[in-house]
Amino acid sequence: MFNVDRVINGVKRKWIKTEVDLDNHVIVQQVDTQMESPSQFIDDYIANLTTIPVDSSKPLWELRILNLKTPEAEAVAILRIHHSIGDGMSLISSLFACCRKSSDPGALPTIPMQKQTDRPRNRRGVLWLLLSVWSVLRLILNTLVDISLFMATILFMKDTKTPLKGLSGVEHNPKRIVHQTVSLGDIKLVKNAMAVTVNDVIFGVMQAGLSRYLNRKYGEVDKSKSNNLPGHFRLRATVLVNIRQAIGIQAIADMMKKKSKAKWGNKLGFICFPFTIALRLDPLDYIRQAKTIADRKKLSLLALCTYLINNCVVKLFGSKVSSCLAYRIFLNTTMSISNVVGPVEEISFFGHPIAFIAPTVYGHPQALTVHFQSYINKMSIVVTVDPNVIPDPHLLCDDFSESLKLFKDAIILNNSVIANSN
């Protein structure tokens, strides 16, 4: 295991080997198991944790256990890890590497791998050459445009002030973390019916849910109108992209192998995903528009470029300058979003079956962060907010789940209409 030397008077940070005393890291909290609202107690407990820094005198992680029964689980374990140890992919991999299949205690969890796009076999001819040249030109043009917008965001381009947008200093406020579970099967039903990806559906859910929430917020002033949204405003999500060569989440053992394509640590790039906030007559239009934007973002090397630029900044100017640039990106955008693929079967943590997984992050200058985490046939929507900015995170969660329900109902209605016409 490793620990971090403190920075004193500008002394350079470095990693050193250290001994780990589990008693200093595993904390079994004494609680009243007969309390009236254990879920509320857990929410308050986690909110209080967000105000307490991780103790830097020991390895930067801790596991807190609350033996409280909730509607979803018999007990709750809170694993808190400092982001300097690794990015989300590394950290979630370490968690899954500690788990085993409930049906086979000797086997690691099964993580679905991203399918590779089939490439055309016939690569000869003028048409193929023209298409290849056009794709390269689009890739270069999109990348240049995205880098320009990215630099503008660092320098001056800010999102519009909305009921979701936090101000400088929001990173120091306590955070409220709530989650809701929806059906992964419903997401895949919509995905298959519209021939899109899971990410497209998720971005559609985000776009629809944010539109519903903001329409309600703006309608608190004038309740006589059905559409209370302003004519136009800028609302973007910062998306952290895993740029590792290996696709998916690898077991920690694979990450530590020599010459492994999977690397430990922070290997992330940035993209900014713009949301169009509006009320749609056809709810599926949210997904269609999200797919258009997502396809455009896929044909760009912005994530890789931002990762390489950040590495150069760290080497030339130090981590403080890199942190300032990242701070500007988060501050000038409204929110962060991520989607992590989880095990396809039930897993256990040292013999204890896991009911749900709800990852999140805090400490960056945004009032809203949304994580999507799949597990078996479920999808957890984890919403982290500054309650001073967003006092009703449960309503926001409801808007996301209700949006998915509207997508599903629209698909079923369309299928029934097609069946009747036949």
Side-chain angles (χ1 to χ4, degrees):
M1 297 296 295
F2 300 89
N3 199 2
V4 184
D5 273 356
R6 295 181 179 181
V7 179
I8 302 176
N9 297 327
V11 176
K12 185 178 180 180
R13 295 182 176 95
K14 63 179 180 179
W15 294 94
I16 60 173
K17 290 186 176 181
T18 186
E19 297 293 329
V20 175
D21 184 355
L22 289 180
D23 291 335
N24 292 331
H25 295 272
V26 180
I27 303 165
V28 180
Q29 191 71 41
Q30 298 298 319
V31 294
D32 178 11
T33 58
Q34 303 300 319
M35 66 177 62
E36 292 184 2
S37 181
S39 296
Q40 185 62 49
F41 174 85
I42 292 171
D43 287 350
D44 294 340
Y45 183 87
I46 295 175
N48 182 63
L49 279 181
T50 65
T51 66
I52 304 173
V54 179
D55 186 359
S56 60
S57 65
K58 60 185 180 182
L60 304 176
W61 65 273
E62 62 182 23
L63 176 64
R64 295 175 178 264
I65 300 173
L66 303 177
N67 286 311
L68 285 174
K69 186 175 182 179
T70 70
E72 289 185 278
E74 295 294 324
V76 174
I78 304 165
L79 180 61
R80 193 162 67 136
I81 309 176
H82 197 281
H83 222 311
S84 64
I85 294 179
D87 57 39
M89 292 300 246
S90 298
L91 299 179
I92 204 73
S93 296
S94 66
L95 172 63
F96 292 151
C98 295
C99 299
R100 295 296 183 266
K101 294 180 182 180
S102 296
S103 59
D104 184 0
L108 287 169
T110 302
I111 309 296
M113 303 294 288
Q114 181 176 330
K115 295 181 180 179
Q116 298 294 318
T117 304
D118 293 334
R119 298 179 179 179
R121 295 181 180 180
N122 185 10
R123 299 188 178 184
R124 293 179 294 180
V126 177
L127 180 60
W128 177 85
L129 179 60
L130 291 175
L131 290 175
S132 299
V133 172
W134 174 239
S135 296
V136 172
L137 290 176
R138 286 181 62 195
L139 181 68
I140 295 173
L141 178 61
N142 290 343
T143 302
L144 291 175
V145 171
D146 286 347
I147 290 177
S148 299
L149 292 174
F150 187 81
M151 297 304 298
T153 300
I154 292 177
L155 296 174
F156 61 86
M157 191 167 71
K158 301 179 181 180
D159 280 9
T160 307
K161 182 69 176 73
T162 68
L164 299 173
K165 182 78 170 67
L167 301 176
S168 180
V170 70
E171 66 273 16
H172 303 301
N173 298 339
K175 298 299 184 294
R176 179 69 60 175
I177 303 171
V178 301
H179 78 279
Q180 191 168 133
T181 302
V182 298
S183 170
L184 182 59
D186 289 348
I187 294 177
K188 291 182 177 179
L189 172 68
V190 177
K191 172 187 83 77
N192 295 332
M194 298 192 67
V196 297
T197 66
V198 169
N199 279 338
D200 294 334
V201 178
I202 287 174
F203 281 125
V205 166
M206 290 293 303
Q207 202 156 231
L210 293 174
S211 297
R212 289 169 58 90
Y213 181 84
L214 287 174
N215 185 61
R216 185 191 309 111
K217 280 296 181 182
Y218 285 116
E220 291 176 353
V221 177
D222 182 5
K223 297 183 179 180
S224 62
K225 299 185 297 182
S226 59
N227 188 343
N228 303 286
L229 295 171
H232 176 74
F233 53 85
R234 182 185 297 116
L235 193 157
R236 296 170 296 167
T238 301
V239 184
L240 298 179
V241 181
N242 173 37
I243 54 86
R244 292 177 176 84
Q245 292 181 0
I247 298 174
I249 300 176
Q250 291 78 23
I252 203 72
D254 290 338
M255 283 192 168
M256 293 306 178
K257 289 180 180 178
K258 291 183 178 180
K259 299 182 179 180
S260 171
K261 292 182 179 180
K263 302 299 181 183
W264 182 260
N266 286 281
K267 306 287 183 181
L268 295 173
F270 293 90
I271 67 170
C272 294
F273 194 96
F275 287 118
T276 301
I277 304 302
L279 299 184
R280 307 290 186 190
L281 293 177
D282 183 358
L284 299 181
D285 283 343
Y286 290 111
I287 299 178
R288 297 185 183 102
Q289 187 173 42
K291 174 177 170 53
T292 300
I293 298 173
D295 288 346
R296 156 67 178 77
K297 293 295 182 180
K298 291 174 185 175
L299 198 61
S300 170
L301 297 176
L302 177 63
L304 178 60
C305 290
T306 54
Y307 170 73
L308 296 176
I309 291 172
N310 181 65
N311 279 353
C312 291
V313 169
V314 171
K315 292 178 181 178
L316 294 176
F317 306 105
S319 59
K320 286 187 177 180
V321 175
S322 172
S323 297
C324 289
L325 296 179
Y327 184 91
R328 294 285 299 175
I329 288 294
F330 287 113
L331 180 63
N332 290 338
T333 53
T334 300
M335 59 178 294
S336 293
I337 181 175
S338 75
N339 173 34
V340 179
V341 180
V344 298
E345 69 282 288
E346 183 185 80
I347 60 176
S348 297
F349 184 72
F350 291 93
H352 299 279
I354 294 179
F356 69 92
I357 305 168
T360 192
V361 64
Y362 63 91
H364 54 292
Q366 289 178 329
L368 174 61
T369 302
V370 182
H371 288 267
F372 288 80
Q373 173 69 60
S374 67
Y375 176 48
I376 317 177
N377 58 353
K378 301 175 290 186
M379 178 73 80
S380 292
I381 304 176
V382 189
V383 175
T384 303
V385 305
D386 178 352
N388 298 319
V389 180
I390 306 172
D392 46 8
H394 289 284
L395 282 180
L396 185 55
C397 258
D398 291 340
D399 286 330
F400 292 143
S401 60
E402 181 63 23
S403 297
L404 176 59
K405 182 178 182 299
L406 290 175
F407 294 165
K408 178 185 176 182
D409 291 343
I411 292 295
I412 294 175
L413 179 61
N414 290 346
N415 290 342
S416 64
V417 170
I418 294 174
N420 291 334
S421 63
N422 291 336

